[in-house]
Short mmCIF file of all heavy atoms in Angstrom, two decimals:
data_model
loop_
_atom_site.label_atom_id
_atom_site.label_comp_id
_atom_site.label_asym_id
_atom_site.label_seq_id
_atom_site.Cartn_x
_atom_site.Cartn_y
_atom_site.Cartn_z
N SER I 156 -103.71 -36.56 -38.93
CA SER I 156 -103.65 -37.65 -37.97
C SER I 156 -105.03 -38.21 -37.68
O SER I 156 -105.22 -39.43 -37.60
CB SER I 156 -102.99 -37.19 -36.67
OG SER I 156 -102.99 -38.23 -35.73
N ILE I 157 -106.02 -37.33 -37.53
CA ILE I 157 -107.39 -37.80 -37.30
C ILE I 157 -107.85 -38.66 -38.46
O ILE I 157 -108.41 -39.75 -38.27
CB ILE I 157 -108.35 -36.61 -37.08
CG1 ILE I 157 -108.08 -35.94 -35.74
CG2 ILE I 157 -109.81 -37.05 -37.15
CD1 ILE I 157 -108.83 -34.63 -35.54
N VAL I 158 -107.61 -38.18 -39.67
CA VAL I 158 -108.06 -38.93 -40.85
C VAL I 158 -107.29 -40.24 -40.99
O VAL I 158 -107.88 -41.31 -41.12
CB VAL I 158 -107.90 -38.07 -42.13
CG1 VAL I 158 -108.13 -38.91 -43.36
CG2 VAL I 158 -108.87 -36.92 -42.09
N ASN I 159 -105.96 -40.17 -40.97
CA ASN I 159 -105.14 -41.36 -41.23
C ASN I 159 -105.14 -42.36 -40.09
O ASN I 159 -105.07 -43.57 -40.33
CB ASN I 159 -103.71 -40.95 -41.55
CG ASN I 159 -103.61 -40.17 -42.84
OD1 ASN I 159 -104.43 -40.33 -43.73
ND2 ASN I 159 -102.62 -39.30 -42.93
N ASP I 160 -105.20 -41.88 -38.84
CA ASP I 160 -105.06 -42.78 -37.70
C ASP I 160 -106.39 -43.20 -37.06
O ASP I 160 -106.44 -44.23 -36.40
CB ASP I 160 -104.18 -42.12 -36.63
CG ASP I 160 -102.79 -41.80 -37.14
OD1 ASP I 160 -102.33 -42.48 -38.08
OD2 ASP I 160 -102.17 -40.84 -36.63
N LEU I 161 -107.44 -42.40 -37.27
CA LEU I 161 -108.72 -42.73 -36.63
C LEU I 161 -109.84 -43.04 -37.62
O LEU I 161 -110.52 -44.04 -37.48
CB LEU I 161 -109.15 -41.56 -35.72
CG LEU I 161 -108.16 -41.15 -34.62
CD1 LEU I 161 -108.68 -39.94 -33.87
CD2 LEU I 161 -107.91 -42.30 -33.67
N VAL I 162 -110.03 -42.18 -38.61
CA VAL I 162 -111.17 -42.33 -39.51
C VAL I 162 -110.92 -43.41 -40.56
O VAL I 162 -111.75 -44.30 -40.76
CB VAL I 162 -111.52 -40.98 -40.18
CG1 VAL I 162 -112.59 -41.16 -41.22
CG2 VAL I 162 -111.94 -39.97 -39.13
N MET I 163 -109.80 -43.32 -41.26
CA MET I 163 -109.56 -44.24 -42.38
C MET I 163 -109.45 -45.71 -41.95
O MET I 163 -109.94 -46.58 -42.67
CB MET I 163 -108.32 -43.81 -43.16
CG MET I 163 -108.53 -42.50 -43.92
SD MET I 163 -110.08 -42.36 -44.82
CE MET I 163 -109.84 -43.54 -46.10
N PRO I 164 -108.87 -46.05 -40.81
CA PRO I 164 -108.90 -47.45 -40.40
C PRO I 164 -110.33 -47.97 -40.20
O PRO I 164 -110.64 -49.10 -40.57
CB PRO I 164 -108.13 -47.47 -39.08
CG PRO I 164 -107.20 -46.32 -39.19
CD PRO I 164 -107.96 -45.27 -39.95
N VAL I 165 -111.21 -47.14 -39.65
CA VAL I 165 -112.60 -47.54 -39.46
C VAL I 165 -113.29 -47.70 -40.80
O VAL I 165 -113.99 -48.70 -41.05
CB VAL I 165 -113.35 -46.53 -38.56
CG1 VAL I 165 -114.83 -46.84 -38.51
CG2 VAL I 165 -112.75 -46.50 -37.17
N VAL I 166 -113.08 -46.73 -41.70
CA VAL I 166 -113.68 -46.81 -43.04
C VAL I 166 -113.17 -48.04 -43.76
O VAL I 166 -113.93 -48.79 -44.40
CB VAL I 166 -113.40 -45.53 -43.85
CG1 VAL I 166 -113.81 -45.68 -45.30
CG2 VAL I 166 -114.12 -44.34 -43.22
N GLY I 167 -111.87 -48.29 -43.69
CA GLY I 167 -111.29 -49.47 -44.33
C GLY I 167 -111.85 -50.76 -43.77
O GLY I 167 -112.13 -51.71 -44.52
N ALA I 168 -112.02 -50.82 -42.46
CA ALA I 168 -112.56 -52.03 -41.84
C ALA I 168 -114.02 -52.23 -42.22
O ALA I 168 -114.45 -53.37 -42.46
CB ALA I 168 -112.42 -51.93 -40.32
N LEU I 169 -114.80 -51.15 -42.30
CA LEU I 169 -116.21 -51.27 -42.66
C LEU I 169 -116.39 -51.67 -44.12
O LEU I 169 -117.35 -52.37 -44.45
CB LEU I 169 -116.94 -49.94 -42.40
CG LEU I 169 -117.10 -49.55 -40.94
CD1 LEU I 169 -117.75 -48.18 -40.82
CD2 LEU I 169 -117.93 -50.58 -40.18
N THR I 170 -115.49 -51.24 -44.97
CA THR I 170 -115.61 -51.58 -46.39
C THR I 170 -114.90 -52.88 -46.73
O THR I 170 -114.94 -53.32 -47.88
CB THR I 170 -115.03 -50.45 -47.27
OG1 THR I 170 -113.65 -50.27 -46.95
CG2 THR I 170 -115.79 -49.16 -47.09
N GLY I 171 -114.26 -53.50 -45.76
CA GLY I 171 -113.59 -54.77 -45.99
C GLY I 171 -112.28 -54.64 -46.75
O GLY I 171 -111.73 -55.62 -47.21
N GLY I 172 -111.78 -53.43 -46.83
CA GLY I 172 -110.56 -53.21 -47.61
C GLY I 172 -109.32 -53.07 -46.78
O GLY I 172 -108.35 -52.49 -47.24
N GLY I 173 -109.31 -53.58 -45.59
CA GLY I 173 -108.12 -53.43 -44.76
C GLY I 173 -108.12 -52.10 -44.05
O GLY I 173 -109.15 -51.49 -43.85
N PHE I 174 -106.93 -51.65 -43.70
CA PHE I 174 -106.81 -50.46 -42.89
C PHE I 174 -106.17 -49.28 -43.61
O PHE I 174 -106.01 -48.23 -43.03
CB PHE I 174 -106.02 -50.76 -41.61
CG PHE I 174 -106.76 -51.68 -40.70
CD1 PHE I 174 -106.48 -53.03 -40.69
CD2 PHE I 174 -107.75 -51.20 -39.87
CE1 PHE I 174 -107.17 -53.88 -39.86
CE2 PHE I 174 -108.44 -52.04 -39.03
CZ PHE I 174 -108.15 -53.39 -39.02
N ASP I 175 -105.75 -49.46 -44.85
CA ASP I 175 -105.10 -48.36 -45.55
C ASP I 175 -105.83 -48.06 -46.85
O ASP I 175 -105.61 -48.70 -47.87
CB ASP I 175 -103.63 -48.69 -45.82
CG ASP I 175 -102.86 -47.49 -46.32
OD1 ASP I 175 -103.41 -46.38 -46.31
OD2 ASP I 175 -101.70 -47.66 -46.71
N PHE I 176 -106.71 -47.09 -46.79
CA PHE I 176 -107.52 -46.71 -47.94
C PHE I 176 -106.69 -46.04 -49.03
O PHE I 176 -107.03 -46.09 -50.20
CB PHE I 176 -108.60 -45.75 -47.45
CG PHE I 176 -109.91 -45.87 -48.14
CD1 PHE I 176 -110.58 -47.07 -48.19
CD2 PHE I 176 -110.49 -44.78 -48.74
CE1 PHE I 176 -111.81 -47.19 -48.81
CE2 PHE I 176 -111.71 -44.87 -49.37
CZ PHE I 176 -112.37 -46.08 -49.40
N SER I 177 -105.59 -45.40 -48.65
CA SER I 177 -104.80 -44.63 -49.61
C SER I 177 -104.03 -45.53 -50.58
O SER I 177 -103.52 -45.04 -51.57
CB SER I 177 -103.83 -43.70 -48.88
OG SER I 177 -102.91 -44.45 -48.12
N ASN I 178 -103.93 -46.80 -50.34
CA ASN I 178 -103.21 -47.70 -51.24
C ASN I 178 -104.11 -48.34 -52.29
O ASN I 178 -103.69 -49.27 -52.97
CB ASN I 178 -102.47 -48.79 -50.47
CG ASN I 178 -101.12 -48.33 -49.99
OD1 ASN I 178 -100.45 -47.55 -50.67
ND2 ASN I 178 -100.73 -48.77 -48.82
N TYR I 179 -105.33 -47.87 -52.42
CA TYR I 179 -106.21 -48.39 -53.47
C TYR I 179 -105.86 -47.68 -54.78
O TYR I 179 -105.84 -46.45 -54.85
CB TYR I 179 -107.67 -48.14 -53.14
CG TYR I 179 -108.22 -48.99 -52.02
CD1 TYR I 179 -107.43 -49.90 -51.33
CD2 TYR I 179 -109.54 -48.88 -51.64
CE1 TYR I 179 -107.95 -50.66 -50.31
CE2 TYR I 179 -110.07 -49.65 -50.62
CZ TYR I 179 -109.26 -50.54 -49.96
OH TYR I 179 -109.77 -51.30 -48.95
N PHE I 180 -105.60 -48.46 -55.80
CA PHE I 180 -105.25 -47.89 -57.11
C PHE I 180 -105.55 -48.89 -58.20
O PHE I 180 -105.74 -50.08 -57.94
CB PHE I 180 -103.77 -47.47 -57.16
CG PHE I 180 -102.81 -48.62 -57.03
CD1 PHE I 180 -102.33 -49.28 -58.15
CD2 PHE I 180 -102.36 -49.03 -55.78
CE1 PHE I 180 -101.44 -50.34 -58.04
CE2 PHE I 180 -101.47 -50.08 -55.66
CZ PHE I 180 -101.01 -50.74 -56.78
N ILE I 181 -105.61 -48.38 -59.41
CA ILE I 181 -105.77 -49.22 -60.60
C ILE I 181 -104.54 -49.00 -61.46
O ILE I 181 -104.20 -47.85 -61.77
CB ILE I 181 -107.05 -48.84 -61.39
CG1 ILE I 181 -108.29 -49.09 -60.53
CG2 ILE I 181 -107.13 -49.61 -62.70
CD1 ILE I 181 -109.57 -48.56 -61.15
N ALA I 182 -103.90 -50.08 -61.82
CA ALA I 182 -102.70 -49.97 -62.66
C ALA I 182 -103.11 -49.61 -64.08
O ALA I 182 -104.01 -50.21 -64.66
CB ALA I 182 -101.95 -51.29 -62.65
N LEU I 183 -102.45 -48.59 -64.64
CA LEU I 183 -102.73 -48.16 -66.01
C LEU I 183 -101.65 -48.67 -66.97
O LEU I 183 -101.71 -48.38 -68.16
CB LEU I 183 -102.81 -46.64 -66.08
CG LEU I 183 -103.91 -46.00 -65.23
CD1 LEU I 183 -103.84 -44.49 -65.32
CD2 LEU I 183 -105.28 -46.50 -65.65
N SER I 184 -100.74 -49.42 -66.44
CA SER I 184 -99.65 -49.97 -67.24
C SER I 184 -99.48 -51.45 -66.88
O SER I 184 -99.67 -51.84 -65.73
CB SER I 184 -98.35 -49.20 -66.95
OG SER I 184 -97.25 -49.84 -67.53
N SER I 185 -99.11 -52.25 -67.85
CA SER I 185 -98.91 -53.68 -67.57
C SER I 185 -97.64 -53.91 -66.76
O SER I 185 -97.45 -55.00 -66.22
CB SER I 185 -98.85 -54.46 -68.89
OG SER I 185 -97.78 -53.98 -69.69
N ASN I 186 -96.79 -52.93 -66.65
CA ASN I 186 -95.54 -53.06 -65.88
C ASN I 186 -95.78 -53.01 -64.38
O ASN I 186 -94.91 -53.40 -63.60
CB ASN I 186 -94.56 -51.95 -66.26
CG ASN I 186 -94.14 -52.03 -67.71
OD1 ASN I 186 -94.20 -53.08 -68.33
ND2 ASN I 186 -93.70 -50.90 -68.25
N VAL I 187 -96.94 -52.52 -63.95
CA VAL I 187 -97.21 -52.34 -62.52
C VAL I 187 -97.65 -53.66 -61.92
O VAL I 187 -98.68 -54.22 -62.29
CB VAL I 187 -98.29 -51.26 -62.30
CG1 VAL I 187 -98.60 -51.11 -60.82
CG2 VAL I 187 -97.85 -49.93 -62.89
N THR I 188 -96.85 -54.16 -60.97
CA THR I 188 -97.17 -55.40 -60.26
C THR I 188 -97.17 -55.20 -58.75
O THR I 188 -97.50 -56.13 -58.01
CB THR I 188 -96.15 -56.49 -60.62
OG1 THR I 188 -94.84 -56.03 -60.28
CG2 THR I 188 -96.22 -56.84 -62.10
N ALA I 189 -96.82 -54.02 -58.28
CA ALA I 189 -96.69 -53.75 -56.84
C ALA I 189 -98.06 -53.69 -56.18
O ALA I 189 -99.08 -53.47 -56.83
CB ALA I 189 -95.95 -52.44 -56.63
N THR I 190 -98.06 -53.89 -54.88
CA THR I 190 -99.32 -53.84 -54.12
C THR I 190 -99.45 -52.54 -53.33
O THR I 190 -100.54 -52.25 -52.84
CB THR I 190 -99.42 -55.03 -53.17
OG1 THR I 190 -98.28 -55.02 -52.30
CG2 THR I 190 -99.50 -56.33 -53.93
N SER I 191 -98.39 -51.78 -53.17
CA SER I 191 -98.48 -50.50 -52.49
C SER I 191 -98.42 -49.37 -53.51
O SER I 191 -97.81 -49.51 -54.58
CB SER I 191 -97.36 -50.32 -51.46
OG SER I 191 -96.13 -50.10 -52.11
N LEU I 192 -99.05 -48.28 -53.21
CA LEU I 192 -99.14 -47.15 -54.15
C LEU I 192 -97.77 -46.57 -54.46
O LEU I 192 -97.46 -46.29 -55.62
CB LEU I 192 -100.07 -46.07 -53.60
CG LEU I 192 -100.26 -44.83 -54.46
CD1 LEU I 192 -100.86 -45.21 -55.82
CD2 LEU I 192 -101.13 -43.81 -53.76
N ALA I 193 -96.93 -46.42 -53.45
CA ALA I 193 -95.60 -45.82 -53.68
C ALA I 193 -94.78 -46.68 -54.63
O ALA I 193 -94.15 -46.17 -55.57
CB ALA I 193 -94.88 -45.63 -52.36
N ALA I 194 -94.79 -47.99 -54.42
CA ALA I 194 -94.03 -48.89 -55.29
C ALA I 194 -94.65 -48.95 -56.68
O ALA I 194 -93.93 -49.01 -57.69
CB ALA I 194 -93.97 -50.28 -54.67
N ALA I 195 -95.97 -48.90 -56.77
CA ALA I 195 -96.64 -48.95 -58.07
C ALA I 195 -96.34 -47.71 -58.88
O ALA I 195 -96.17 -47.79 -60.10
CB ALA I 195 -98.15 -49.10 -57.85
N ARG I 196 -96.25 -46.56 -58.23
CA ARG I 196 -95.92 -45.32 -58.96
C ARG I 196 -94.52 -45.38 -59.55
O ARG I 196 -94.26 -44.78 -60.58
CB ARG I 196 -96.07 -44.11 -58.03
CG ARG I 196 -97.51 -43.71 -57.82
CD ARG I 196 -97.62 -42.45 -57.01
NE ARG I 196 -99.00 -41.98 -57.00
CZ ARG I 196 -99.51 -41.18 -56.10
NH1 ARG I 196 -98.74 -40.74 -55.12
NH2 ARG I 196 -100.76 -40.79 -56.17
N GLU I 197 -93.63 -46.08 -58.89
CA GLU I 197 -92.27 -46.23 -59.42
C GLU I 197 -92.26 -47.14 -60.65
O GLU I 197 -91.42 -46.98 -61.53
CB GLU I 197 -91.34 -46.78 -58.34
CG GLU I 197 -91.05 -45.80 -57.23
CD GLU I 197 -90.17 -46.39 -56.15
OE1 GLU I 197 -89.67 -47.53 -56.31
OE2 GLU I 197 -89.99 -45.72 -55.12
N GLN I 198 -93.20 -48.07 -60.71
CA GLN I 198 -93.23 -49.02 -61.82
C GLN I 198 -93.95 -48.47 -63.06
O GLN I 198 -93.68 -48.92 -64.17
CB GLN I 198 -93.90 -50.32 -61.38
CG GLN I 198 -93.11 -51.07 -60.35
CD GLN I 198 -93.84 -52.32 -59.88
OE1 GLN I 198 -95.04 -52.49 -60.12
NE2 GLN I 198 -93.11 -53.19 -59.20
N GLY I 199 -94.86 -47.53 -62.86
CA GLY I 199 -95.59 -47.00 -64.01
C GLY I 199 -96.79 -46.18 -63.59
O GLY I 199 -96.95 -45.83 -62.42
N ALA I 200 -97.63 -45.88 -64.56
CA ALA I 200 -98.79 -45.03 -64.31
C ALA I 200 -99.87 -45.80 -63.55
O ALA I 200 -100.15 -46.96 -63.84
CB ALA I 200 -99.35 -44.53 -65.64
N VAL I 201 -100.44 -45.10 -62.55
CA VAL I 201 -101.52 -45.68 -61.75
C VAL I 201 -102.63 -44.65 -61.56
O VAL I 201 -102.40 -43.45 -61.59
CB VAL I 201 -101.03 -46.16 -60.36
CG1 VAL I 201 -100.08 -47.32 -60.48
CG2 VAL I 201 -100.41 -45.03 -59.58
N PHE I 202 -103.85 -45.14 -61.39
CA PHE I 202 -105.01 -44.32 -61.08
C PHE I 202 -105.24 -44.47 -59.59
O PHE I 202 -105.81 -45.46 -59.12
CB PHE I 202 -106.22 -44.82 -61.89
CG PHE I 202 -107.46 -44.00 -61.73
CD1 PHE I 202 -107.55 -42.75 -62.30
CD2 PHE I 202 -108.54 -44.49 -61.01
CE1 PHE I 202 -108.69 -41.99 -62.16
CE2 PHE I 202 -109.68 -43.74 -60.87
CZ PHE I 202 -109.76 -42.49 -61.44
N ALA I 203 -104.79 -43.49 -58.80
CA ALA I 203 -104.75 -43.59 -57.33
C ALA I 203 -106.05 -43.05 -56.73
O ALA I 203 -106.07 -42.03 -56.06
CB ALA I 203 -103.54 -42.84 -56.79
N TYR I 204 -107.14 -43.77 -56.91
CA TYR I 204 -108.44 -43.30 -56.40
C TYR I 204 -108.53 -43.37 -54.88
O TYR I 204 -109.21 -42.56 -54.25
CB TYR I 204 -109.60 -44.07 -57.05
CG TYR I 204 -109.69 -45.52 -56.67
CD1 TYR I 204 -110.47 -45.91 -55.59
CD2 TYR I 204 -109.00 -46.50 -57.38
CE1 TYR I 204 -110.57 -47.24 -55.24
CE2 TYR I 204 -109.09 -47.82 -57.03
CZ TYR I 204 -109.88 -48.19 -55.96
OH TYR I 204 -109.96 -49.50 -55.60
N GLY I 205 -107.85 -44.29 -54.25
CA GLY I 205 -107.87 -44.40 -52.79
C GLY I 205 -107.22 -43.20 -52.13
O GLY I 205 -107.71 -42.69 -51.12
N ASN I 206 -106.11 -42.75 -52.70
CA ASN I 206 -105.44 -41.57 -52.17
C ASN I 206 -106.35 -40.35 -52.30
O ASN I 206 -106.43 -39.52 -51.41
CB ASN I 206 -104.12 -41.36 -52.90
CG ASN I 206 -103.26 -40.31 -52.24
OD1 ASN I 206 -103.15 -40.26 -51.04
ND2 ASN I 206 -102.67 -39.46 -53.05
#
Side-chain angles (χ1 to χ4, degrees):
S156 177
I157 289 171
V158 170
N159 294 333
D160 300 333
L161 302 176
V162 174
M163 292 315 291
V165 172
V166 170
L169 292 176
T170 60
F174 293 98
D175 190 8
F176 215 56
S177 63
N178 275 325
Y179 289 1
F180 64 91
I181 297 172
L183 299 177
S184 170
S185 60
N186 297 337
V187 178
T188 58
T190 57
S191 73
L192 180 60
R196 283 185 171 159
E197 290 177 7
Q198 293 177 346
V201 293
F202 184 73
Y204 68 92
N206 190 42

